[in-house]
Amino acid sequence: MTAYARQDLATAKRIVVKVGSSSISGDASWRIDMLADAIVEARSRGQEIIFVSSGAIATAVSLMDLGQGKPSDLATQQAAAAVGQNVLLWRWQSSLDRYGVLAGQVLLTLSDLQNSTPRSNARRAIDRMLTLGVLPIVNENDTVATHEIRFGDNDRLSALVAHLMKADALVLLSDITALYTAPPDREGSRPIDTIAPDDDLRQFEFGGKVVNSVGTGGAATKATAGRLAQEHGVGALVTSADNIADALAGHDVGTWFTPAETGDPQTETLSLILQDDESEEN
C-alpha cells in the first residue's frame, strides 16, 4: 500500500531506506547496530526493507592510509571503493548476525537501470532476496561507475530503486532531523513539515543554494530525491539517521514528501524517471 502520509509508514509493505556515508563511517560507525536494530524490528512487523547504504569510499580512507578526506584521483577512488565495499558489507553482516539475518549485496550503476536486461535482472534478484528473507543492501558500483563517483549520489539511486521495486515509501536518512527552509544555522530558518507535489521548491534554500528538483550535496540531494520519488507516486521522508525507528513506525518526524496522485502510482515506467533525471542534469 502506497504511503500517502507519515503514519502509513508503519503499515507500508515495502520501504526503501537510504543512509549516507557521514552517518555510518569513521566515528559514526556505531550507528550500524542501531540501524540494523530498527530494520530488523520493521521486518518483524512483516515489512520488506531494501537498504541503500553509502560509505564504501569513506570506510576505506582510514583503512588504506589515504590521508584525510576523499581521494582526488579516479583510480584511487575506485580502489578505495573496492576495499571499502567489502568492509562495509562485513560490518552490516556482523551486526545482522545478532538476529540471524542474512544480507545480500547489490551493486548498481545508472546505466544498469537505463538498460532493460540488467534492470530486469536487478529487480528479479532483489525480489527473490526479499522472498528468501534476505536483506538487500544496495550501493553504487563505484569501482566501475566513474560518472557516479564524480557526480552521482545515492539519494538519487534510492529514489530510482524505490520506483524499480514498486516500493510503498522511501526513507532518506540524513545528519539533520528534517529539511529546513534555509541552512539550519541561519536566523529565521525553520524545519519543513510537509512538501506537497505542487509546492515550489525554489522558495527554499538547500545546502546554501536555491534548488528546484536539482542540486548537489547534502540537503539539496535529499530534496531532489524526495521530489523525484514524489512526482512518480512514492512518498518520501527525510530525517536523521537517529530517527530511523520512529520513522519506520510512522511517528511525526522529519520532512514528508506527499506522493503525487498519478492514478496507479506504480505503473509509470522507470524510463520516464531516468529521462527526467538526465534532463535535469543537462
Side-chain angles (χ1 to χ4, degrees):
M1 181 188 75
T2 298
Y4 286 100
R6 279 184 188 83
Q7 57 265 33
D8 294 336
L9 284 168
T11 55
K13 176 63 176 176
R14 179 174 291 183
I15 303 173
V16 173
V17 179
K18 183 265 177 181
V19 66
S21 301
S22 61
S23 296
I24 58 171
S25 300
D27 293 339
S29 60
W30 62 268
R31 284 196 181 90
I32 288 178
D33 281 348
M34 181 195 70
L35 293 166
D37 292 343
I39 290 170
V40 171
E41 182 180 353
R43 284 165 51 103
S44 72
R45 298 194 293 263
Q47 295 180 297
E48 295 178 338
I49 304 296
I50 300 169
F51 201 62
V52 179
S53 176
S54 299
I57 295 177
T59 296
V61 167
S62 60
L63 299 174
M64 298 176 69
D65 193 24
L66 297 177
Q68 297 295 319
K70 185 176 177 179
S72 58
D73 67 289
L74 182 58
T76 305
Q77 290 176 12
Q78 291 171 320
V83 172
Q85 188 61 40
N86 172 52
V87 175
L88 185 63
L89 191 67
W90 173 77
R91 288 177 176 174
W92 281 116
Q93 186 59 67
S94 296
S95 185
L96 292 166
D97 281 344
R98 296 174 296 142
Y99 298 100
V101 173
L102 189 63
Q105 178 175 260
V106 182
L107 297 178
L108 297 172
T109 66
L110 188 57
S111 63
D112 290 331
L113 298 184
Q114 289 173 320
N115 293 282
S116 60
T117 298
R119 184 170 71 237
S120 177
N121 288 339
R123 180 190 298 116
R124 183 170 57 246
I126 294 173
D127 265 329
R128 186 60 176 143
M129 286 182 199
L130 292 171
T131 61
L132 291 171
V134 175
L135 173 67
I137 298 182
V138 183
N139 199 356
E140 287 181 309
N141 192 351
D142 287 339
T143 301
V144 300
T146 59
H147 175 79
E148 278 71 23
I149 285 179
R150 288 182 286 185
F151 304 107
D153 62 81
N154 274 356
D155 294 317
R156 175 177 60 173
L157 173 63
S158 65
L160 297 178
V161 169
H163 189 89
L164 173 71
M165 301 309 302
K166 299 183 179 180
D168 298 312
L170 169 65
V171 175
L172 297 161
L173 300 176
S174 179
D175 295 330
I176 55 177
T177 57
L179 293 177
Y180 282 71
T181 55
D185 57 355
R186 181 181 299 176
E187 185 177 356
S189 176
R190 55 180 177 79
I192 304 168
D193 182 77
T194 303
I195 295 177
D198 58 352
D199 284 349
D200 188 350
L201 297 188
R202 289 176 295 186
Q203 64 183 301
F204 307 126
E205 287 187 46
F206 301 121
K209 62 175 68 175
V210 177
V211 299
N212 186 16
S213 300
V214 292
T216 58
T221 64
K222 304 293 184 298
T224 299
R227 174 50 56 92
L228 181 61
Q230 174 185 61
E231 289 179 341
H232 293 85
V234 179
L237 180 73
V238 178
T239 192
S240 166
D242 294 336
N243 285 340
I244 182 173
D246 286 341
L248 294 178
H251 295 169
D252 188 15
V253 295
T255 299
W256 175 252
F257 286 78
T258 306
E261 296 188 17
T262 56
D264 180 353
Q266 305 298 358
T267 60
E268 297 286 343
T269 63
L270 185 66
S271 62
L272 288 177
I273 291 184
L274 294 170
Q275 290 168 8
D276 289 348
D277 190 54
E278 288 175 338
S279 66
E280 288 165 359
E281 287 188 18
N282 296 333

